[in-house]
Amino acid sequence: MNSYIESLLELIYPEKNICYICDYYDESIGENYICNKCRQSIKKVVPPLCNKCGKPINYGLSINLCPDCFNFEKYFETSRSPFLYEGIIKNGIYNFKYYNKPYYYKLFGSLLLQYMNKINYLNFNYIVSVPLHRSKLKSRGYNQSELLAIYISNKLNIPYINALKRIKKTNKQSSQSKLNRMRNLENSFTINKKNKINFIKKSSVLLVDDVYTTGSTANECSKALLNYGVNKVYVITIAR
Ligand SMILES: [Zn+2]
Ligand SMILES: [Zn+2]
């Protein structure tokens, strides 16, 4: 069976009422895709947050920016994430990306949507996602951020646009220093002009990614969108 069909089956395979994280069966799980016990063990991002990137910061700062946002220019308006990148969220995202579990977009998509509703992070003209390089897309078979973005787009009735293209193949980011990551990602993204997306100029766009680590990816994508003429870019990721 080729991997495309396999991933397609994976999208429909998991039974309703089974927790994606621990396989526990409970009829109350339904379209939450997660049992109560797992849900309660998720570590949330707790305010006060950096106005820009959403990192938890200490009380009593005169400016509500984390040191990173204070020192490095950010092209996006704000970035928000409901969860800390640890425990079952970290494992779940790893499985989502590397263990052929594309259907996890349902779990993470619904968690993101609940959070976006809660903080009223809903006012966008279009939704875009961080692209994979085409060679990686070919080997993985799906782009996890795109699956999330399309899920949110459908639920909120905001058009999803395949706006960005990754033109530079980059090494695995997590093993590198902040400065290296920044250099490595510079000019890695461009606008998918062949998709005729002129209409996104002057609009507000939500950029979807799985994890916010140093913010370099979100920043480079935002830069490409702003240079093209997009008015404002907002970012959402599952975790940070
Ligand atoms: Zn569970
Ligand atoms: Zn910040």
Side-chain angles (χ1 to χ4, degrees):
M1 198 170 8
N2 75 40
S3 69
Y4 176 68
I5 294 172
E6 240 163 28
S7 343
L8 213 64
L9 284 176
E10 286 282 72
L11 288 172
I12 43 178
Y13 163 69
E15 219 184 305
K16 223 177 138 186
N17 295 325
I18 289 188
C19 174
Y20 278 16
I21 302 293
C22 71
D23 286 334
Y24 177 72
Y25 181 90
D26 183 341
E27 283 185 2
S28 69
I29 290 174
E31 301 214 325
N32 289 318
Y33 313 104
I34 188 167
C35 72
N36 272 331
K37 205 177 150 217
C38 287
R39 185 190 276 268
Q40 274 158 23
S41 74
I42 296 177
K43 296 266 189 325
K44 291 186 181 142
V45 167
V46 183
L49 308 176
C50 168
N51 273 341
K52 201 79 186 162
C53 75
K55 184 190 173 93
I57 52 175
N58 296 326
Y59 283 106
L61 292 176
S62 52
I63 39 146
N64 290 324
L65 288 177
C66 72
D68 183 59
C69 292
F70 187 76
N71 290 314
F72 295 96
E73 185 179 10
K74 296 288 189 291
Y75 293 94
F76 51 81
E77 294 298 307
T78 52
S79 178
R80 289 294 179 264
S81 325
F83 309 120
L84 294 177
Y85 189 51
E86 51 185 71
I88 61 171
I89 287 290
K90 189 173 180 176
N91 286 336
I93 291 173
Y94 198 83
N95 286 330
F96 184 28
K97 285 166 83 163
Y98 302 115
Y99 278 91
N100 198 28
K101 295 193 188 297
Y103 59 87
Y104 266 42
Y105 79 86
K106 292 182 197 167
L107 164 65
F108 290 129
S110 85
L111 289 170
L112 274 181
L113 211 59
Q114 287 165 37
Y115 178 71
M116 289 168 69
N117 275 307
K118 196 177 128 198
I119 64 166
N120 198 20
Y121 205 60
L122 301 162
N123 219 348
F124 315 106
N125 303 117
Y126 300 103
I127 297 179
V128 306
S129 61
V130 171
L132 293 178
H133 190 267
R134 64 186 147 72
S135 61
K136 202 179 258 180
L137 184 60
K138 211 172 158 197
S139 60
R140 191 174 298 172
Y142 57 94
N143 173 355
Q144 72 284 352
S145 300
E146 183 176 45
L147 294 178
L148 281 176
I150 291 172
Y151 176 93
I152 296 170
S153 155
N154 288 334
K155 297 284 180 186
L156 294 179
N157 246 323
I158 300 173
Y160 172 74
I161 312 293
N162 185 4
L164 290 163
K165 200 160 71 171
R166 196 173 199 128
I167 42 175
K168 251 165 68 182
K169 232 174 121 177
T170 42
N171 301 323
K172 203 167 184 294
Q173 289 283 306
S174 39
S175 53
Q176 293 172 37
S177 74
K178 160 118 189 142
L179 211 63
N180 273 340
R181 287 170 78 122
M182 280 171 66
R183 284 204 195 109
N184 200 8
L185 275 172
E186 221 167 295
N187 305 318
S188 284
F189 302 97
T190 184
I191 295 293
N192 233 338
K193 287 201 178 114
K194 73 171 192 338
N195 288 355
K196 300 207 169 57
I197 52 162
N198 260 314
F199 54 87
I200 71 164
K201 291 182 178 178
K202 300 197 167 65
S203 68
S204 280
V205 164
L206 176 72
L207 172 72
V208 180
D209 200 5
D210 47 10
V211 186
Y212 185 104
T213 314
T214 61
S216 303
T217 304
N219 215 29
E220 283 299 315
C221 288
S222 302
K223 191 168 93 183
L225 289 163
L226 291 190
N227 283 341
Y228 184 64
V230 166
N231 197 18
K232 283 177 175 165
V233 180
Y234 297 83
V235 181
I236 188 97
T237 71
I238 305 163
R240 62 152 303 132

